[in-house]
Amino acid sequence: MTLQEIESTKTAALSEIAAASTADAVEQLRVKYAGRNGLVPAMMKGLRDVPPADKPAFGQALNALRVAISAALDGRKAAAAQGGGSRDAFDFSLPGSWRGVGSIHPISEVIEEATRIFAQLGFTVADGPDIETEFNNFDALNTAKHHPSRDARDTFWLGPERLLRTQTSPVQIRAMLAKKPPVRIINPGRCYRRDTTDATHAANFHQIEGLFVDTAPVSLADLKSTLSHFAREMMGQSVKVRFRPHYFPFTEPSVEVDLTCHVCKGKGCAVCKQSGWIEILGAGIVDTRVFRNVGYDEDCYGYAFGMGVERIAMIKHGITDLRLLYTGDLRYLRNFL
Ligand code: PHE
């Protein structure tokens, strides 16, 4: 044992103790250095073999080593108990780091709210893929071979019989092929059309499909009451609902449904093209030919509807340009938190 050894043991011990960040680590170092079989007591025993003339100097050095280590251990133990010690301790005076709090996008909000409303009426959520067959998207829905919506200028074709669905209506077919009546389903999902993007159109948008089939008679009155109830729950009791005759290949009779314009409250403005109304969905009584195409009895009864999610979000929040829903600009979307 030399005086230098004592000194270097001290340096090593103090730096190890300073690096200990947990109470456990401090305790391990206490055992290593100051414990009964630790390094310091062992060196103390070695004092016996030191020549008498050197004893005072060695005694002093060893004592200083013992005191320094025990003070360092005590200090470190207290710091570790307070949560990591002074080097790692949390500084409460620093400015906080901000993590953006997420919120529901207006499109998801409409889908969630519609799902809730229809769930109360006994509808469950059905599913279907974005890539569809020509049969499900057109043929089974009684769409004529020459119908313009099949044109490659309107539909994204992926192959001879594969396409990006142009509507959520193919989910009607999937639901009926999977199950006999009664059927009560809704399907929120993405649709694709080769539309040029403008304030009210996008090539990629959302619809919510609904299908109700039963073996007992179902009439246009049932459809009207269901959709009127939905509109009032979604938009508030004061909203007015208008049903207009229309044509769809898979429903007969067919209607289009309008709500009072949110901007002018029905007086007429640029958003509703001076009509006071905004169209939000197509609907009708399921055509018997569709039942035939899915192998249902022809004495089934049913109604179906398909609504535009973006349109509803726009009316609900007074959004005048659909593109704002897709830019992902948080400064804008935060308005709807
Ligand atoms: N699929 C039609 C459309 O996209 C809407 C619709 C759905 C009409 C169900 C009638 C019944 O325009």
Side-chain angles (χ1 to χ4, degrees), residues 166-169 172 193 207 209-210 248 250-251 282-284 304-306:
T166 60
Q167 50 191 356
T168 43
S169 301
Q172 290 185 35
R193 288 184 197 173
Q207 287 187 338
E209 192 78 12
F248 293 105
F250 36 93
T251 47
F305 55 85

Side-chain angles (χ1 to χ4, degrees), residues 141 166-170 172 191 193 205 207-210 246-248 250-251 254-256 279 281-285 303-307:
L141 288 164
T166 60
Q167 50 191 356
T168 43
S169 301
Q172 290 185 35
C191 307
R193 288 184 197 173
F205 58 99
Q207 287 187 338
I208 300 174
E209 192 78 12
H246 198 73
Y247 170 80
F248 293 105
F250 36 93
T251 47
S254 303
V255 291
E256 273 194 331
E279 183 225 317
L281 65 86
I285 297 297
Y303 62 74
F305 55 85
M307 57 182 78

Side-chain angles (χ1 to χ4, degrees), residues 104-110 190 199 202 204-206 308-315 317 319-329 332-333 336:
I104 306 270
H105 191 281
I107 291 177
S108 308
E109 184 205 347
V110 168
R190 277 180 192 275
N204 172 349
F205 58 99
H206 294 75
V309 175
E310 282 79 357
R311 292 273 175 91
I312 296 174
M314 288 171 77
I315 297 178
H317 294 296
I319 298 168
T320 50
D321 192 331
L322 178 150
R323 286 166 288 198
L324 289 166
L325 290 170
Y326 284 99
T327 50
D329 186 338
Y332 186 72
L333 294 174
F336 311 115

Side-chain angles (χ1 to χ4, degrees), residues 158-171:
L158 303 175
E161 279 168 16
R162 294 253 175 252
L163 47 84
L164 289 177
R165 65 177 176 190
T166 60
Q167 50 191 356
T168 43
S169 301
V171 179

Side-chain angles (χ1 to χ4, degrees), residues 2 25 31 67 78 89 91-92 97 132 143 154 175 226 230 234 241 246 251 286 291 299:
T2 63
V31 172
V67 170
D91 182 351
F92 289 94
S97 66
E132 261 298 359
T143 310
D154 287 320
T226 302
F230 166 77
M234 192 74 177
V241 189
H246 198 73
T251 47
V286 179
F291 288 144
D299 56 357

